[in-house]
């Protein structure tokens, strides 16, 4: 274990859990905990269920259409009703825990190899809407109908379909939806217009986030957004009134 000591003299221990312990791969993309206490870990090579002692690993079986469709599990979402959604390199997978089977759903059903089927982020908001970030475009997913709807973004005076890669989607305490949009920057969903708009924050540098890859966004207790990018950490003040 790695021991860190802060100025408060509190001691924090880090334990490395890896392949010798049963983890399928050392590259971990996402982790969630279900209502039963199990940890579900998405890795570069399989979905792992961890009970604190042992791992159960789910992987693709080319001869079984009900197996995990792709071993690269990049995002995990467990909604309020217990529905289990997985974002993989080749589509959205819904896991049936009772039968232990997986179903596959494509944002671009016309081309299985489309980059739009690379599911990079799954996020459920407070209204129960499921947002799907992909390698090309940001979608809304209707779970009941199993249908995807491509969102739009304002482009000058026009609107166009979103076509950038999205790794980050979040909702603020004011119930506003933000996403990181490659390479455009930070975008915000306009509920009235039903489209996304680019946020042009005030800075010494014009459009400081443009061209950056946004990995994650976080709102702190003061309402400030912290934006993690490949070119450093940025902050954005929401200025709620």
């Amino acid at each position: 274990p790695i021991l860190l000591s802060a100025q408060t003299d509190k001691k924090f221990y880090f334990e490395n859990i890896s392949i010798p312990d049963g983890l399928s791969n050392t590259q971990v993309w996402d982790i969630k905990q279900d209502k039963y206490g199990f940890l579900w870990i998405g890795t570069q090579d399989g979905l792992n269920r961890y009970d604190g002692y042992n791992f159960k690993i789910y992987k693709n079986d080319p001869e079984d259409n009900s197996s995990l469709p792709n071993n690269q599990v990049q995002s995990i979402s467990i909604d309020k009703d217990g529905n289990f959604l997985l974002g993989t390199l080749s589509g959205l997978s819904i896991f049936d825990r009772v039968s232990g089977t997986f179903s596959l759903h494509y944002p671009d059903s016309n081309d299985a190899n489309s980059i739009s089927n690379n599911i990079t982020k799954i996020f459920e908001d407070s209204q129960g809407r499921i947002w799907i970030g992909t390698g090309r475009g940001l979608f809304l997913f209707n779970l009941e109908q199993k249908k995807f709807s491509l969102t739009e973004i304002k482009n000058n005076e026009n609107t166009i379909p979103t076509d950038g890669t999205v790794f980050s989607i979040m909702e603020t305490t004011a119930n506003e939806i933000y996403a990181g949009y490659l390479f455009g920057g930070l975008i915000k969903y306009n509920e009235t217009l039903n489209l996304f708009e680019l946020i042009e924050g005030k800075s010494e540098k014009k459009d400081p986030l443009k061209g950056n890859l946004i990995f994650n966004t976080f709102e702190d207790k003061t309402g400030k957004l912290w934006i993690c990018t490949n070119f450093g950490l940025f902050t954005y003040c929401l200025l709620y009134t």
Side-chain angles (χ1 to χ4, degrees):
I2 300 173
L3 172 63
L4 295 180
S5 181
Q7 292 181 349
T8 58
D9 292 328
K10 290 183 179 180
K11 296 179 180 180
F12 301 91
Y13 289 89
F14 290 81
E15 180 181 359
N16 179 243
I17 299 173
S18 193
I19 291 175
D21 304 292
L23 187 68
S24 66
N25 190 268
T26 56
Q27 186 166 337
V28 176
W29 290 93
D30 201 4
I31 183 169
K32 293 289 188 299
Q33 187 172 33
D34 65 22
K35 63 182 181 181
Y36 304 105
F38 290 109
L39 290 178
W40 295 86
I41 305 165
T43 76
Q44 185 76 11
D45 189 29
L47 174 68
N48 295 245
R49 190 194 73 181
Y50 185 53
D51 62 7
Y53 301 96
N54 300 296
F55 286 92
K56 179 172 182 171
I57 299 171
Y58 299 84
K59 287 190 177 185
N60 174 257
D61 179 352
E63 298 182 356
D64 183 359
N65 291 333
S66 66
S67 68
L68 184 67
N70 188 288
N71 288 335
Q72 185 166 318
V73 180
Q74 303 174 139
S75 186
I76 302 172
S77 176
I78 306 173
D79 70 14
K80 61 182 183 298
D81 297 320
N83 295 300
F84 206 110
L85 280 67
L86 304 169
T88 79
L89 191 63
S90 57
L92 178 71
S93 181
I94 301 177
F95 178 48
D96 185 328
R97 297 184 55 155
V98 176
S99 64
T101 58
F102 300 81
S103 59
L104 178 60
H105 308 274
Y106 290 128
D108 185 353
S109 57
N110 296 318
D111 180 8
N113 296 316
S114 170
I115 194 173
S116 294
N117 294 327
N118 176 8
I119 310 298
T120 51
K121 181 67 176 179
I122 308 171
F123 177 76
E124 182 187 19
D125 67 19
S126 59
Q127 298 182 43
R129 295 176 299 189
I130 299 173
W131 302 85
I132 307 291
T134 77
R136 181 182 293 156
L138 177 52
F139 295 78
L140 276 168
F141 180 64
N142 186 310
L143 183 61
E144 184 176 337
Q145 299 178 2
K146 306 296 188 294
K147 289 184 178 181
F148 295 87
S149 301
L150 182 60
T151 61
E152 295 187 323
I153 187 170
K154 188 175 182 181
N155 181 31
N156 297 322
E157 300 302 320
N158 302 314
T159 59
I160 59 174
T162 55
D163 62 358
T165 301
V166 175
F167 288 105
S168 170
I169 310 169
M170 60 92 68
E171 182 176 10
T172 68
T173 53
N175 304 121
E176 296 174 329
I177 303 297
Y178 286 84
Y181 192 63
L182 185 71
F183 286 98
L186 187 68
I187 59 176
K188 175 184 174 183
Y189 187 64
N190 187 316
E191 298 280 356
T192 303
L193 299 178
N194 192 29
L195 54 77
F196 280 93
E197 297 174 316
L198 180 65
I199 299 296
E200 297 182 0
K202 294 181 180 181
S203 172
E204 295 179 358
K205 179 182 177 182
K206 184 179 180 181
D207 299 330
L209 292 176
K210 190 172 184 179
N212 286 6
L213 177 59
I214 297 176
F215 296 113
N216 202 5
T217 48
F218 170 77
E219 181 188 11
D220 67 20
K221 294 179 180 179
T222 69
K224 181 185 292 184
L225 280 189
W226 294 80
I227 305 164
C228 310
T229 81
N230 58 324
F231 282 102
L233 184 64
F234 294 81
T235 60
Y236 172 63
C237 186
L238 303 177
L239 296 176
Y240 292 141
T241 58

